[in-house]
Amino acid sequence: MRIPWRRNRRAGKWRGFPATALALVLLLLAAGANAGSGEEPPPYADLTSKPYEYHGRGRDLAEPVDLAAVRIGLFAPTQGPRAPAGLSLRRGAELAVAEANAAGGYRGIPFALIQRSDDQVWGSAREVVEMAYDDGVWAIIGAIGGQSTHVAQQVITKAQLPLISPASTDASLTQINIPWMFRCP
């Protein structure tokens, strides 16, 4: 008869015993850790208890001084079949800016809306570049269609600007995990 935890003289180890004993000890430790607590941790993170901290590029830069307005870019169609949706988007953004300015703006600095058109899909890249670098916007709202939003996404990836797309239903926009691309239709 052979004993499974008998010492193997050639290998210098206990055969079968260490793995079985280790598994049993880990099982008992896991059961003991949960038995004494009485309360399980929540299966979610409470994001309201501690504010989110940004750990990306530019976090050590100082805020601009002598700022006349915080510029927000609006990227929406103005002509063609998508013009009514663009008008709706513009009116919503204007209302949000008016409410934010009535509440004091950003630390006393008013918000300003800079509008550019996304009527031409490939011409829209130039519009987003102008908003990002010439107009100096802090964020961009818009693009109705997925094609225009993908073009804008290529620019904001390089410029590292937040792009909030409130109307595009193209799920592939957020699947590549650009940290400053938001889609909320």
Side-chain angles (χ1 to χ4, degrees):
M1 180 170 162
R2 192 170 170 157
I3 302 173
W5 54 82
R6 194 165 133 186
R7 185 169 170 83
N8 184 345
R9 293 177 195 239
R10 281 184 259 151
K13 307 181 204 178
W14 292 92
R15 187 181 341 157
F17 181 71
T20 307
L22 180 63
L24 183 61
V25 167
L26 288 176
L27 182 64
L28 290 174
L29 284 175
N34 290 337
S37 67
E39 186 178 316
E40 291 187 24
Y44 55 86
D46 183 13
L47 299 177
T48 60
S49 64
K50 181 182 173 193
Y52 178 74
E53 296 176 5
Y54 175 67
H55 297 286
R57 266 181 76 188
R59 67 184 176 277
D60 53 347
L61 297 176
E63 288 192 29
V65 292
D66 299 331
L67 197 59
V70 174
R71 296 177 179 182
I72 306 294
L74 177 65
F75 188 53
T78 57
Q79 299 172 355
R82 299 181 308 153
L87 180 63
S88 238
L89 184 61
R90 183 177 55 118
R91 286 180 178 162
E94 286 172 349
L95 181 62
V97 166
E99 287 180 2
N101 285 340
Y106 174 74
R107 299 182 183 175
I109 303 169
F111 289 98
L113 202 58
I114 309 295
Q115 184 173 1
R116 299 284 182 165
S117 172
D118 79 339
D119 292 328
Q120 300 174 355
V121 175
W122 292 108
S124 62
R126 184 187 76 234
E127 301 291 334
V128 177
V129 167
E130 287 177 7
M131 274 194 287
Y133 295 106
D134 296 340
D135 297 333
V137 298
W138 284 24
I140 298 174
I141 302 169
I144 300 293
Q147 293 174 336
S148 297
T149 311
H150 274 292
V151 171
Q153 187 181 41
Q154 293 174 16
V155 176
I156 63 113
T157 301
K158 196 70 169 167
Q160 295 183 350
L161 277 176
L163 173 64
I164 301 168
S165 179
S168 180
T169 57
D170 187 355
S172 67
L173 288 166
T174 52
Q175 288 176 345
I176 57 174
N177 295 329
I178 295 174
W180 39 87
M181 173 67 207
F182 303 96
R183 185 180 64 88
C184 50

